[in-house]
């Protein structure tokens, strides 16, 4: 299996490289080597390497910044995946694309299935949805995996932010009225590998962590693991606050739990995220 990986320096990109099955070759690229917004470069890279699969882990993930940087967010999240689909088609490669729970408005009260109506609240979610539409239009057999609340030992994420703030704060206000499922990036990588090994049918699949929490509960789980593993001497007090007490440029869905039955039916295990925090929390200094 020859894989062309984009966004290789991001959370998912790094984790994907860490869990490649034996015998799979990967060309790991990031924007410095292969800018997915440049159609000519994408086409020539794909034509030269001739992958069996293109895994797109590249994205513009700065949710609040996207509100003001609409054009660049659309280029990376919509035009980039479209370019990859067009280039992949030319060599008969399959595209794996990753999307987000932010395509939903969060008004549901039960977990979202893949065919639920989308209605993104912000520019990031809208550009990611446009990327999904472009990919499925140009390559109907592509695998599109929507995931949520991603963390890992790499890059920037909520786990690292909480640990950093805990260094010098006795208490923290953390939003308690938005609910989702934290997801370890390495488990997304594993889910992609399973779908590829099983030659699963193309289309959208939901994948996330195995337990639903609010952000304040996620923070408490992080601190509890950090204390257990000696990373923190004492936990800050976590005070639940409302979304209105923590205004951000982009609105977030208040409930973005994904129904993952479709991907579980392919043999994929949901991300046991509390265990994953335990596993990665001692990885310093990458971690803090
Ligand atoms: N993070 C989350 O909480 C979350 C939640 C739901 C879904 N997702 C989705 O999951 C996927 C993986 O997210 P992640 O957290 O691993 O993202 P990430 O850590 O932000 O990594 C994205 C990578 O893409 C690179 N990139 C940006 N523009 C590019 C371009 N034009 N060409 C090639 N590479 C480019 C970035 O490079 P620079 O750093 O240099 O820009 C970065 O290395 C994304 O599709 C994201 O939308 C993420």
């Amino acid at each position: 299996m020859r894989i062309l990986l984009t966004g290789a320096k991001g959370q998912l990109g790094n984790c994907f490289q860490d869990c490649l099955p034996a015998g799979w070759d990967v060309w790991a690229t990031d924007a410095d080597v292969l800018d997915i917004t440049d159609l000519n470069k994408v086409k020539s890279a794909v034509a030269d390497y001739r992958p069996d699969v293109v895994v797109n882990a590249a994205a513009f993930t700065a949710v609040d910044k996207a509100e003001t940087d609409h054009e660049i967010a659309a280029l990376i999240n919509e035009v980039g995946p479209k370019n990859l689909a067009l280039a992949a088609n030319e060599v008969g490669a399959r595209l794996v694309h990753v999307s987000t729970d932010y395509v939903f408005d969060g008004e549901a009260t039960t977990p979202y299935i893949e065919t639920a109506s989308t209605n993104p609240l912000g520019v990031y979610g809208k550009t990611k949805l446009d990327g999904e539409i472009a990919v499925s239009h140009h390559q109907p057999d592509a695998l599109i995996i929507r995931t949520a609340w991603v963390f890992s030992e790499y890059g920037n994420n909520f786990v690292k932010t909480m640990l950093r703030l805990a260094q010098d704060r006795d208490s923290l206000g953390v939003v308690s009225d938005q609910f989702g499922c934290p997801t370890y990036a390495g488990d997304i990588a594993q889910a992609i590998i399973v779908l590829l090994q099983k030659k699963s049918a193309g289309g959208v699949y939901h994948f996330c962590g195995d337990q639903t929490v609010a952000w304040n509960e996620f923070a408490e789980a992080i601190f509890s693991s950090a204390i257990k593993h000696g990373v923190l001497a004492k936990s800050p007090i976590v005070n639940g606050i409302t979304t209105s007490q923590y205004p951000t440029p982009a609105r977030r869905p208040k409930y973005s739990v994904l129904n993952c039955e479709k991907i579980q039916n392919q043999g994929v295990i949901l991300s046991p995220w509390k265990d994953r925090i335990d596993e990665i929390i001692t990885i310093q200094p990458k971690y803090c």
Side-chain angles (χ1 to χ4, degrees):
M1 181 82 88
R2 281 166 79 76
I3 311 260
L4 196 166
L5 172 68
T6 66
K9 293 181 183 168
Q11 298 194 78
L12 174 59
N14 269 295
C15 286
F16 189 81
Q17 294 170 73
D18 289 345
C19 55
L20 272 185
W24 288 30
D25 293 325
V26 67
W27 181 23
T29 69
D30 208 278
D32 49 351
V33 175
L34 180 59
D35 178 349
I36 63 167
T37 68
D38 184 330
L39 179 60
N40 289 334
K41 284 197 180 137
V42 169
K43 279 192 170 177
S44 94
V46 171
D48 287 349
Y49 188 65
R50 301 195 77 78
D52 302 302
V53 175
V54 176
V55 174
N56 182 29
F60 185 100
T61 55
V63 174
D64 289 321
K65 209 157 168 266
E67 294 297 309
T68 43
D69 293 1
H70 185 286
E71 205 170 316
I72 183 74
L75 259 180
I76 297 169
N77 290 343
E78 179 191 358
V79 177
K82 176 179 152 194
N83 291 345
L84 293 169
L86 292 171
N89 287 344
E90 290 189 354
V91 299
R94 192 169 200 197
L95 178 60
V96 179
H97 178 62
V98 181
S99 192
T100 172
D101 55 332
Y102 280 23
V103 299
F104 297 116
D105 61 16
E107 293 301 321
T109 49
T110 53
Y112 284 98
I113 59 171
E114 285 78 358
T115 50
S117 298
T118 53
N119 183 29
L121 297 176
V123 172
Y124 168 73
K126 168 82 170 65
T127 58
K128 292 294 292 183
L129 178 61
D130 290 342
E132 289 184 11
I133 293 166
V135 165
S136 52
H137 175 74
H138 290 284
Q139 192 185 104
D141 194 40
L143 293 165
I144 298 173
I145 294 132
R146 289 190 189 130
T147 189
W149 295 31
V150 179
F151 69 93
S152 71
E153 64 271 50
Y154 299 104
N156 298 312
N157 55 63
F158 185 78
V159 178
K160 288 191 182 183
T161 303
M162 287 301 111
L163 288 179
R164 192 180 60 247
L165 292 174
Q167 305 294 322
D168 44 29
R169 300 269 282 272
D170 292 329
S171 68
L172 290 172
V174 184
V175 170
S176 59
D177 57 1
Q178 291 172 22
F179 297 88
C181 298
T183 311
Y184 175 54
D187 292 323
I188 308 171
Q190 286 293 355
I192 291 171
I193 288 165
V194 170
L195 293 183
L196 288 172
Q197 285 172 327
K198 295 232 159 136
K199 299 188 175 23
S200 300
V204 177
Y205 291 82
H206 286 174
F207 177 76
C208 63
D210 60 353
Q211 291 177 55
T212 303
V213 279
W215 289 108
N216 62 320
E217 295 167 322
F218 189 12
E220 276 163 0
I222 294 161
F223 295 142
S224 144
S225 176
I227 285 170
K228 186 163 70 181
H229 294 283
V231 171
L232 282 180
K234 113 176 160 37
S235 171
I237 295 163
V238 178
N239 297 312
I241 59 170
T242 62
T243 299
S244 58
Q245 289 173 295
Y246 187 73
T248 51
R251 287 172 65 208
R252 267 95 171 146
K254 67 180 181 217
Y255 177 89
S256 60
V257 178
L258 302 174
N259 178 317
C260 300
E261 277 172 32
K262 183 178 171 188
I263 205 165
Q264 286 178 290
N265 288 338
Q266 297 296 305
V268 172
I269 313 286
L270 297 192
S271 182
W273 63 265
K274 284 190 178 165
D275 293 346
R276 297 301 186 235
I277 291 177
D278 280 339
E279 285 164 22
I280 67 170
I281 203 135
T282 52
I283 304 175
Q284 313 273 344
K286 259 197 296 189
Y287 207 64
C288 279

